[in-house]
Amino acid sequence: MSTPFDYTLASARDALRARKISARELTEAHLSAIERLDGSLNSFITTTPENALKAADAADATLAKGEGGELCGLPLGIKDLFCTNGTRTTAASNILRDFVPPYESTVTSNLLRDGAIFLGKLNLDEFAMGSGNLNSAFGPAINPWKRNGSDEQLVPGGSSGGSAAAVAAGLVLGATGTDTGGSIRQPAAYTGIAGIKPTYGRCSRFGTIAFASSLDQAGPMARNLQDCAILLRSMAGFDQRDSTSVDTPVPNYEAALNRGVKGLRVGIPKEYHADGMPAEIEALWQQGINWLRDAGAEIKEVSLPHTKYGLPTYYIAALAEASSNLARYDGLRFGARVKADSLDAMYEASRAAGFGEEVKRRILLGTHVLSSGYYDAYYLRAQKVRTLIQQDFLKAYEDVDVLLTPTAPSSAFALNEKPSDPVQMYLNDVFTVPASMAGVPALSVPAGLDGQGLPLGLQLIGKFFDEETLIAAGHVLEQAASFTHRPTIHAGNPA
Amino acid sequence: MSTVITGNTGDWEIVVGLEVHAQVISQAKLFSGASATYGGEPNTHVSLVDAGFPGMLPVLNRECVAQAVRTGLGLNAEINLFSRFDRKNYFYADLPTGYQISQFAHPIVGKGVVIVDLPDGSTREIGVTRLHLEQDAGKSIHDQDPTRSFIDLNRAGVALMEIVSEPDIRCPEEAGAYLRKLRQILRYIGTCDGNMEEGSMRADVNVSVRRPGEEGFRTRCEIKNVNSIRYVMQSIEVEARRQVEIWENGGEVDQETRLFDHVRSETRSLRSKEDAHDYRYFPDPDLLPLEIEQSWVDELKAALPELPEDKRARLEKEYGISRYESGVLTAEQAVADFYETVAKNADARLATNWILGDFFGALNRTGRTIEDSPVSAEGLRELLSLISDSTINGKIAKEVLEDMVETGDSASAIVERKGLRQVTDTGAIEAAINAILEANADKVEQYKSGKDKLFGFFVGQSMKAMKGKANPAMVNDVLRKLLDA
């Protein structure tokens, strides 16, 4: 090992246990990398170096006794949507700019229980609403990757853009993300890292700021699937405080890594051959098919006939819930308040000042689709289509075990290439939204670079609570792709 | 029974439906572990869930569901094994999340019926449309500061049962009888204390009028949050008259929400239909649909206490009391329990008369309730047993009861202390009576010449002479013997 930034989470774990490196060294190295590089990435909203170093010393003391949880001494970043006790949690919104929760989310509690060290809170699209991390009140996070021969700033994807950028640039060994319609998978693909959106109900939503409750799901983002598997085992689990969390045992996901795909039936959904998808992505998809076939999988074409309705119904269902979930940000009990002469005026002023443009747009849309006279045409119909989309998957799973698709229809785009039409922006989620609507697990792994030198991801979608098969198949892709490229901005790069 | 309003152009019938909000008796709130107890310093019974903090999630309180099911069973209603929680969205300062979790499309309890007793002695069935569970809001306090309002979230999230009646009520008296009966049932089952002063039971009153025999209903107005049975009855009367006047003057009643002002005895518009909230109901994605097992419902049913109607029927049968008497004696569970403790193994008729008469009189006089009665059921039973075994007579017993109320001593102790034991010594009685007859020889003559009514005079004089302690039956016997001899 030449630098601390060559470690993966798994190898760092082993090195810590073997006392080849101390938690303090590892933490200091990452904190200094953040200091050095995050000015050009803006991946952190808040850093907590003092807490991190204190926790590192405690971890070293524990490790010295030969004790410590699975994540003991490993530096992570936390998407700033997870409430962290005593550390401000903003959701990248002005309305929560100074909000310090007196409680810890279940997911971060689990990570702390297992010894993880938090370096800070990571940038995102405001309230997780976006696909480019362009909608943050703290400014956009920047993708550490550059196009060949260009210094133009690219988006890291979203909404977990800060998580993706920080992991890709080596500022943290792993990060938490949340995925409502692709917010883990798409940024993972844009930044050349791995990310898992687990089955809905696998990770508790308690203490995670809600965007769309029936879709939100926390998951890990890291350099590779082994690291994601280690993190997911810690994050997942039943929680009495979340009625939608599911009481089913958490397996050792890492142990599933090398199961292989011999005999595995892999479905290729024909509806995912989207019009106007770049040939490179089509080619990469075919490459993925070949890799899995070569490793012993059986490839089958399947049909998910309601795919084309995924995006519109997602934007109805998600925004309806969001319009209600965000009603609590009224300036009364916490968060930013703008004083005014009447209660209604105070609401209007506080929310006008506190929410960004995209959040306002989505609250308006969500309010509209629930309104009397429109409910049946929009919300109710979307719920019905959602059931059909779920049935598409269940039907496909009668013939196949996993589905393989591209993660996103393009590679990362430049900040100034942001489409002026918000709907164009929403199209980034076209491949990731259906799995979210169905609640099934999905992951993205880096599979290659496009002609501009930017990473592209492949998505695997699995059966309910069968993350293990997904991880096994994903690992086959990882090995075949042997994706070892590093972005232009990386902690391990020579200064 | 129905009240007809006679207008200038003819008669009008009143149509009323009630939505009663009954606060569920439970330790914790509907979706959080915070205390559901009434009172407490402002904002001391508030969890982060109740205050709507980011990332907080509701978790359904099983006991509140059980209470709703028990209530449904008490209303002879269908229990829906599948129900669902919806969000009712609106902004208000005492609603922290910006939505109330309620059951809009799929309530936990369906159609039921309440049998009400009317003042004229008749009964009527009032249909219950549904009962659903929902959260209460907090309290806005506007009178503490000239420019600011304060919010107390102690009540926010406490479980309410909204019990919706069919528009079966035809007059203020029926509305009153329905509310009293509903409150009685809730108290019997122990699902709501029915305390309207503390706001644990409130009613929204839907009123419309129509011509007798007219099909269908005319536009109704909803009078919000009426907090006493008397005001409910008054508001119906006042609102119905207002609507009659509008119709008779060729106007249209607007569908609107109104407030009842009991000081001015009028209803006032709160908001019109145009200003009505669009609540944007949709299923709460934080909660799964509620599915309960029939076996659990059966368990709850088996453990249900005897309901007022059943108790009435049984008391009438076991103790031979009238329907009126059973009504009074079962109005409160505690009264019924008291009655049964006294009447069991005693002379039931004597017990009934004494409780409805002197005992209730003593409670009224002292301003006490059955729960803090100055005389226990056992104490009263002892007193009655002293009557039954002729230790004292009824008149003396009244005196003893007064002493019991005052001193708290037992009946027998008082009888001993005051020497009130009934005189049953024939010789002593004869001696006293002879003295009376001698002193009133003229009246004895009159009696013997046919003035029968004087017999009562001799009884009175004899009892008086014996300080009321004589056994009245023996006095009668001796008098007859001596006078009619």
Side-chain angles (χ1 to χ4, degrees), chain B residues 38 75 111 318 325 329 331 383 401 413:
Chain B
Y38 177 79
L75 301 175
K111 283 191 181 303
E318 283 183 19
E325 288 168 336
L329 290 170
L383 175 65
L401 180 64

Side-chain angles (χ1 to χ4, degrees), chain A residues 83 99 102-103 200 205-209 213-214 240-244 320-321 323-325 327-330 332-334 343 347 351 367 370-372 375 379, chain B residues 48-60 84 87 89 91-99 151 153 278-288:
Chain A
C83 289
F99 176 64
Y103 49 90
Y200 182 78
R205 293 184 296 112
F206 179 85
T208 307
I209 295 175
S213 312
S214 75
Q240 285 188 343
R241 292 174 300 179
D242 174 3
S243 307
T244 62
E321 293 179 20
S323 71
S324 175
N325 283 336
R328 66 187 61 197
Y329 306 105
D330 56 10
L332 258 142
R333 297 162 309 283
F334 51 81
L343 183 62
Y347 284 148
R351 288 166 68 84
T367 303
L370 287 176
S371 300
S372 151
Y375 179 87
Y379 182 81
Chain B
L48 292 162
V49 175
D50 307 323
F53 269 58
M56 290 297 115
L57 298 171
V59 177
L60 182 59
R84 205 177 62 191
R87 291 186 184 175
N89 295 282
F91 282 96
Y92 200 64
D94 54 27
L95 186 71
T97 50
Y99 54 84
I151 308 293
L153 294 180
D278 181 352
Y279 290 120
R280 293 173 283 124
Y281 284 102
F282 75 106
D284 191 327
D286 287 332
L287 293 160
L288 301 173

Side-chain angles (χ1 to χ4, degrees), chain B residues 148-167:
Chain B
R148 294 178 302 167
S149 293
F150 294 91
I151 308 293
D152 177 5
L153 294 180
N154 281 353
R155 215 177 60 192
V158 167
L160 297 178
M161 296 179 285
E162 181 171 327
I163 304 165
V164 182
S165 86
E166 296 285 334

Side-chain angles (χ1 to χ4, degrees), chain A residues 273-309:
Chain A
H273 292 280
D275 289 341
M277 187 155 70
E280 288 175 303
I281 291 179
E282 277 284 353
L284 183 80
W285 191 5
Q286 188 55 51
Q287 179 66 69
I289 293 169
N290 295 342
W291 285 332
L292 289 173
R293 184 187 288 124
D294 293 347
E298 183 189 340
I299 308 296
K300 288 184 169 185
E301 188 185 72
V302 296
S303 175
L304 302 171
H306 298 92
T307 299
K308 66 178 168 196
Y309 303 115

